[in-house]
Amino acid sequence: MSYAFRPSRAFTDDFKRTGAEQFEQAIELLRLRPDGLHEAIHEARKCFKRVRALYRLIAADAPLFQRQENARIRDMARNLSTVRDAAALVENARYLHEGARSDEEEKALDHVCSRLLERRDRIAASETDIEDRIAATIVNCEQAMAALAHVSFDDRRRKTADRLAKGWRRTLKRAARALEACQASTEAASFHELRKRAQDYRMHLALLHDAWPSAMEAKRLDAKALVEVLGHLNDLDVMTSVVNENPGLAGNSQDQAYLISAVIARQETLRLAALDRARNVFLDAPDDESRTVRLLWLEASR
């Protein structure tokens, strides 16, 4: 795993290596596009998410760097988001279609899929400045790598272990607050926040994989499954908003009724599944788990 710290290495060097590899991968994807333009954008944005999670883990020790670079990378991802967001709606409509509960609902959702596919293609065709935005993103990646090169930390073992434990505890406390909000409300914003925190946790588990490979990988897979459930839920919320603003995307009144029914039913199922998985993923108290992480890192870095 390249997106993982090596306990035997100096933390500053390893941190820079981990971040730089993601930027280099994003640049290569955007230049070569081995699976096409839109897939390259999708994969590059994944690289940006990994870097943002990496930077959040050390936010307490480099707050200014984290804030500035988080804003830079967030804007880079948004600069490439339009077609990808439209494509995600198509994928989510297909996800609904796969779970159709009747022939009538399946037919209605098939119509919705077709309209969203046409919408994605129209948006893609209208993006005449996409090459300019990709070029600007590559420049921003290079500037972000230059900023990363100037970061430094106290590389002593205990200082590094304390830093990782502090970041771990912060992630888990934010996740606990998000989970509490989701248990009290079905608001889309609450579940979106839980998704972001679960994404951070999944990536932090990958970063500390070598501290205890079997346990970290098992927890990472559980967190990944939670993120996937929350991702479907978030996409349904986005789809609802887009259709509310453009009712014609759902077709006639009958197709609209089937779409709304399918969304409501799937949302309820996904919320229950997300809460069940989240309680398992975030089972341990933040203070307890962060202390364990600290001890694991000290042992692994001897």
Side-chain angles (χ1 to χ4, degrees):
M1 295 177 69
S2 61
Y3 186 72
F5 294 140
R6 303 290 184 259
S8 60
R9 296 180 181 175
F11 182 79
T12 297
D13 293 342
D14 214 25
F15 179 85
K16 292 178 180 179
R17 172 197 61 81
T18 304
E21 283 180 357
Q22 294 303 313
F23 287 124
E24 289 166 356
Q25 183 178 340
I27 291 171
E28 183 176 6
L29 285 163
L30 294 173
R31 281 179 173 159
L32 301 182
R33 307 168 194 178
D35 298 312
L37 173 62
H38 300 302
E39 186 63 21
I41 289 173
H42 181 44
E43 292 300 318
R45 293 179 74 205
K46 288 183 181 179
C47 293
F48 300 154
K49 288 180 180 179
R50 294 188 195 104
V51 178
R52 292 179 73 186
L54 170 70
Y55 289 0
R56 287 190 187 105
L57 187 58
I58 54 82
D61 275 19
L64 181 59
F65 169 81
Q66 190 272 331
R67 285 196 301 271
Q68 290 178 340
E69 293 307 302
N70 180 67
R72 186 207 301 268
I73 300 165
R74 179 195 61 218
D75 292 344
M76 287 161 55
R78 285 179 178 172
N79 191 42
L80 300 175
S81 67
T82 307
V83 175
R84 177 56 209 164
D85 290 347
L89 285 184
V90 176
E91 293 165 9
N92 202 43
R94 288 172 176 161
Y95 167 73
L96 278 178
H97 184 270
E98 291 170 1
R101 297 164 295 174
S102 68
D103 291 343
E104 292 80 6
E105 186 174 275
E106 182 177 2
K107 183 182 291 186
L109 292 173
D110 191 44
H111 295 162
V112 173
C113 287
S114 296
R115 291 187 185 91
L116 289 174
L117 186 60
E118 291 171 0
R119 175 179 178 269
R120 182 203 66 185
D121 292 343
R122 285 197 305 271
I123 290 173
S126 69
E127 288 213 307
T128 56
D129 65 339
I130 188 64
E131 293 297 340
D132 290 339
R133 284 193 274 146
I134 287 174
T137 300
I138 290 173
V139 171
N140 278 322
C141 283
E142 292 168 345
Q143 292 173 346
M145 290 173 65
L148 175 61
H150 293 291
V151 174
S152 64
F153 300 94
D154 186 329
D155 288 332
R156 287 176 292 177
R157 286 177 57 249
R158 291 189 180 277
K159 288 292 185 179
T160 298
D162 289 344
R163 178 181 308 115
L164 295 174
K166 188 184 299 182
W168 203 271
R169 183 167 55 252
R170 179 175 181 266
T171 296
L172 289 181
K173 285 187 174 181
R174 295 178 74 186
R177 289 194 295 271
L179 177 55
E180 185 178 357
C182 290
Q183 291 170 327
S185 168
T186 60
E187 288 291 325
S190 298
F191 283 87
H192 183 53
E193 177 67 15
L194 180 61
R195 180 190 179 212
K196 291 192 291 185
R197 304 292 68 83
Q199 284 176 325
D200 282 345
Y201 187 54
R202 178 186 63 163
M203 294 176 190
H204 293 172
L205 287 161
L207 287 168
L208 268 72
H209 172 271
D210 288 4
W212 188 2
S214 59
M216 293 295 181
E217 180 63 10
K219 288 181 73 68
R220 190 189 69 82
L221 291 175
D222 286 343
K224 180 182 179 181
L226 170 60
V227 169
E228 289 174 354
V229 171
L230 290 165
H232 286 309
L233 185 58
N234 180 72
D235 289 343
L236 286 176
D237 290 323
V238 173
M239 175 185 285
T240 301
S241 298
V242 171
V243 171
N244 285 340
E245 293 173 1
N246 305 275
L249 290 173
N252 58 35
S253 58
Q254 187 176 42
D255 285 354
Q256 290 177 26
Y258 279 118
L259 174 61
I260 292 169
S261 176
V263 167
I264 291 173
R266 192 59 62 88
Q267 282 177 323
E268 184 176 357
T269 300
L270 289 170
R271 287 191 195 103
L272 292 173
L275 289 174
D276 185 56
R277 289 183 180 276
R279 293 186 191 104
N280 178 62
V281 168
F282 300 114
L283 181 62
D284 297 330
D287 288 343
D288 293 341
E289 188 168 323
S290 61
R291 279 194 292 268
T292 300
V293 164
R294 180 181 182 276
L295 292 172
L296 287 171
W297 187 263
L298 285 173
E299 180 62 27
S301 60
R302 288 185 187 280

